[in-house]
Amino acid sequence: MSSYNPFNSTIFNKVIMAGTGVILVLFVIGHMVGNLQVFLGADVFNTYAHFLKSTGELLWIMRLVLLLCVVLHVYTSLKLKFLNMKARPEGYSVTSYVKSTLYSRTMIYSGIVIFLFVVYHLLHFTAFVTNPEYADYSENYGPVLQSSGMIDHSGNIIQVTEGEGIFDRHDAYKMVITGFNKPIVAIVYILAVLFLALHLSHAIQSMFQTLGWSGPKTTPRLMLVSKLIGWGLFVGFASIPVSVLIFGLGKGVIG
Amino acid sequence: MKLTLNIWRQKDKNSKGQFENYNLNEVSPDMSFLEMLDVLNEDLLHKGDEPVAFDHDCREGICGACSMTINGRPHGPEKQTTTCQLHMRKFNDGETITIEPFRAKPFPVIRDLIVDRTSFDRIQQAGGFVSVNTGSSPDSNAVPIAKVAADKAFDAAACIGCGACVAACPNGAAMLFTSAKIGQFALLPQGQPERKERVIAMVKQMDSEGFGACTNHYECEAACPKGISVEFIAMMNRDFMKASFSR
Ligand code: HEM
Ligand code: FES
């Protein structure tokens, strides 16, 4: 048995998928809760966004962990998909499924859609590659100045205006509202979270099963939880572009 | 009953197969599925054609030999029923029935509907046993076993190794079979001394045979003529990870 490395086994690969899945699911839930603060107005939302950006090393640790999870998750999913295709070189002419679902059988496709979306999403709202002007959206906050004038700010002379906050931060609220005011962008985001819902409706229960939590009573309950979380995330995430596009959320900030 | 049968014919392992159509005009609804195939084969023999090769032995649902996929379901549409125990009354008069062999790379077709399932034997031989010194049998109840554990071990031991789980799995995975063969011992005191080596050796063999990886569709559980639960797969995963980290 010496030449066999259990860490190359199908089971270990499945456990990697499930383990990275746990972290990604927790992240996605946290991300949705954070995003929902957009409904509490520009100030709350920008404070939250500013807080995230100000965590320094912690932010980079989070990003690296998530990146590692995505890389491992995608790599093992493709590896196992190819393995599974090879395990049935000649298919059936008639198929008839009993317990599997359309989304359990399309995990790799919903996954690929999510992956492509994540790349776009990062280029859009994180790196501003698609919309460089987002980088210049800024907002004043903090104690309000009593008078206008010029000040020397570490060697730079800058103009300050009466009635504005003395600090400056990125206006993430304006960015989100502007972004989702383009129907095509809003629709892409809504479709992406639809695929996320399809993926997770199967994935969450699957993850518990893979990690060893299963049983005749437990499994149906976990299936329900899986669907509730999956569709809950859809409603939560999609509510933002829908509110902006259809109900005019934040119309004020873009004039 | 009148039936049209659409059956996979394949001369041997190396030939290409294809579907052939056959009509049967006098099928009794009380026949078993295999008896219906016997009638077809009598017809074919009378006409001087090659009969359809299919696997069977006990014809009472306990040996697991009668492997075939009927209208896309291993062992046909009836829940927890082997092909030999399936009756023609479950089909409609005039129906077309498609019959294919179990499909998986580790189950190569030998002829028509017969596949080679010795890959299962090799998984079993890798560790699906308890090593004991031979001698007279021990006293009954000498080793106390909790009722729940005994019942569950028995559920796993109900596996007849028919291969329907592999045939039903969209990934061609053999995890239900392997986990049942591991689980029947993992739950009993007799299985404990070799528990770690067993799970590693059997999973290793399963992987090297070229079976797929489970993605929790649970088609295996639905197809299993003995109703074995996917709970055993979860148990095997736990056992395998524990054994891997503690070797
Ligand atoms: C936010 C992103 C994602 C989350 C939260 C997520 C979550 C999960 C979880 C929890 C599982 C179940 C793991 C298991 O039981 O083994 C899973 C499975 C899977 N994921 Fe993802 N995933 C994400 C992105 C992706 C991407 C980008 C891909 C592929 C390119 C992908 C492909 C798959 C596949 C093929 C499965 C296997 C199906 C299964 O075993 O149940 N996923 N995912
Ligand atoms: S012939 Fe033995 S189980 Fe069907």
Side-chain angles (χ1 to χ4, degrees):
Chain A
M1 210 191 291
S2 53
S3 66
Y4 178 62
N5 179 1
F7 299 107
N8 287 333
S9 61
T10 46
I11 294 183
F12 187 71
N13 276 283
K14 284 291 310 172
V15 168
I16 293 281
M17 293 217 62
T20 53
V22 173
I23 296 174
L24 293 174
V25 168
L26 290 176
F27 165 74
V28 166
I29 294 173
H31 191 35
M32 180 199 69
V33 173
N35 289 357
L36 286 176
Q37 296 178 71
V38 78
F39 291 108
L40 302 178
D43 193 42
V44 174
F45 191 70
N46 283 341
T47 305
Y48 164 68
H50 185 63
F51 159 73
L52 290 183
K53 287 259 161 109
S54 65
T55 48
E57 284 88 39
L58 209 62
L59 179 66
W60 279 104
I61 293 172
M62 263 310 279
R63 284 174 169 172
L64 283 177
V65 169
L66 289 172
L67 180 69
L68 187 69
C69 286
V70 170
V71 169
L72 283 174
H73 191 83
V74 173
Y75 173 71
T76 41
S77 75
L78 292 172
K79 189 161 110 183
L80 292 178
K81 181 70 193 171
F82 289 127
L83 179 86
N84 293 345
M85 279 166 19
K86 268 200 289 186
R88 176 158 301 137
E90 177 136 28
Y92 291 107
S93 76
V94 178
T95 48
S96 165
Y97 298 111
V98 188
K99 292 204 172 179
S100 66
T101 54
L102 187 63
Y103 30 94
S104 77
R105 293 191 301 271
T106 52
M107 290 299 275
I108 192 76
Y109 308 108
S110 56
I112 289 169
V113 171
I114 296 167
F115 178 77
L116 294 176
F117 167 74
V118 168
V119 172
Y120 165 68
H121 178 50
L122 291 175
L123 293 176
H124 184 218
F125 280 160
T126 307
F128 316 131
V129 171
T130 58
N131 298 66
E133 71 277 12
Y134 289 167
D136 303 328
Y137 289 5
S138 70
E139 185 211 34
N140 297 302
Y141 72 106
V144 171
L145 288 164
Q146 293 300 317
S147 63
S148 302
M150 312 293 274
I151 58 162
D152 183 342
H153 179 68
S154 16
N156 296 320
I157 307 295
I158 53 170
Q159 167 82 40
V160 295
T161 316
E162 182 185 349
E164 283 192 348
I166 59 172
F167 304 124
D168 200 54
R169 66 187 174 194
H170 184 231
D171 194 347
Y173 186 80
K174 185 176 169 190
M175 172 178 79
V176 169
I177 304 292
T178 313
F180 289 158
N181 257 294
K182 288 203 197 87
I184 182 76
V185 173
I187 289 167
V188 165
Y189 273 78
I190 294 167
L191 287 179
V193 291
L194 178 70
F195 279 95
L196 182 69
L198 298 179
H199 198 75
L200 295 190
S201 299
H202 172 70
I204 294 174
Q205 190 277 320
S206 175
M207 156 184 113
F208 284 116
Q209 163 78 16
T210 300
L211 296 176
W213 199 25
S214 169
K217 281 213 191 79
T218 317
T219 300
R221 281 183 204 153
L222 289 174
M223 281 178 171
L224 184 67
V225 169
S226 207
K227 292 203 176 76
L228 288 177
I229 297 180
W231 291 104
L233 285 166
F234 173 70
V235 171
F237 275 124
S239 68
I240 300 168
V242 166
S243 300
V244 173
L245 193 65
I246 300 175
F247 300 108
L249 175 73
K251 263 273 176 314
V253 295
I254 51 165
Chain B
M1 295 170 81
K2 280 190 175 34
L3 291 174
T4 305
L5 303 174
N6 187 29
I7 302 181
W8 183 262
R9 302 302 307 266
Q10 181 171 336
K11 199 161 171 292
D12 55 40
K13 207 168 171 167
N14 302 317
S15 335
K16 253 185 88 64
Q18 76 290 319
F19 282 100
E20 298 279 351
N21 267 304
Y22 304 94
N23 292 309
L24 280 183
N25 293 323
E26 280 170 49
V27 175
S28 154
D30 296 329
M31 283 177 183
S32 78
F33 202 86
L34 297 188
E35 283 166 338
M36 181 276 293
L37 289 179
D38 292 338
V39 170
L40 169 71
N41 280 346
E42 298 265 327
D43 268 15
L44 291 176
L45 281 171
H46 278 300
K47 283 191 219 143
D49 291 337
E50 270 298 310
V52 177
F54 63 90
D55 219 350
H56 62 103
D57 186 18
C58 70
R59 296 204 176 200
E60 51 185 24
I62 55 171
C63 75
C66 50
S67 61
M68 59 189 76
T69 305
I70 303 164
N71 289 339
R73 305 252 183 106
H75 293 300
E78 192 70 353
K79 231 175 123 177
Q80 294 192 23
T81 306
T82 52
T83 306
C84 58
Q85 294 291 294
L86 176 67
H87 287 87
M88 296 318 294
R89 54 179 168 272
K90 301 293 174 185
F91 296 88
N92 300 317
D93 193 18
E95 195 175 332
T96 300
I97 306 176
T98 299
I99 313 172
E100 301 172 72
F102 281 2
R103 296 277 187 208
K105 186 166 139 261
F107 285 176
V109 174
I110 302 172
R111 188 184 179 90
D112 298 340
L113 302 175
I114 302 181
V115 297
D116 177 354
R117 286 170 299 154
T118 47
S119 49
F120 266 18
D121 299 343
R122 287 187 293 269
I123 296 176
Q124 185 72 346
Q125 283 155 8
F129 47 79
V130 170
S131 312
V132 285
N133 294 324
T134 50
S136 56
S137 56
D139 288 345
S140 53
N141 296 331
V143 182
I145 298 170
K147 170 94 167 95
V148 267
D151 283 352
K152 218 174 217 180
F154 200 81
D155 288 347
C159 172
I160 53 176
C162 66
C165 45
V166 174
C169 176
N171 308 325
M175 294 217 177
L176 192 64
F177 166 76
T178 309
S179 69
K181 296 301 178 197
I182 291 169
Q184 63 186 359
F185 296 123
L187 288 157
L188 298 177
Q190 293 88 337
Q192 299 315 309
E194 293 162 303
R195 186 168 176 169
K196 286 179 188 166
E197 296 90 82
R198 177 180 304 112
V199 65
I200 298 223
M202 291 179 77
V203 170
K204 174 192 171 186
Q205 191 61 38
M206 173 184 84
D207 284 350
S208 69
E209 295 291 345
F211 289 104
C214 176
T215 57
N216 305 322
H217 293 296
Y218 306 151
E219 288 295 340
C220 53
E221 182 182 276
C224 178
K226 299 297 153 184
I228 292 171
S229 163
V230 294
E231 203 183 343
F232 291 108
I233 300 179
M235 217 174 93
M236 169 177 73
N237 290 357
R238 258 188 285 140
D239 258 25
F240 182 79
M241 291 311 289
K242 261 194 236 158
S244 304
F245 280 107
S246 64
R247 272 193 326 156

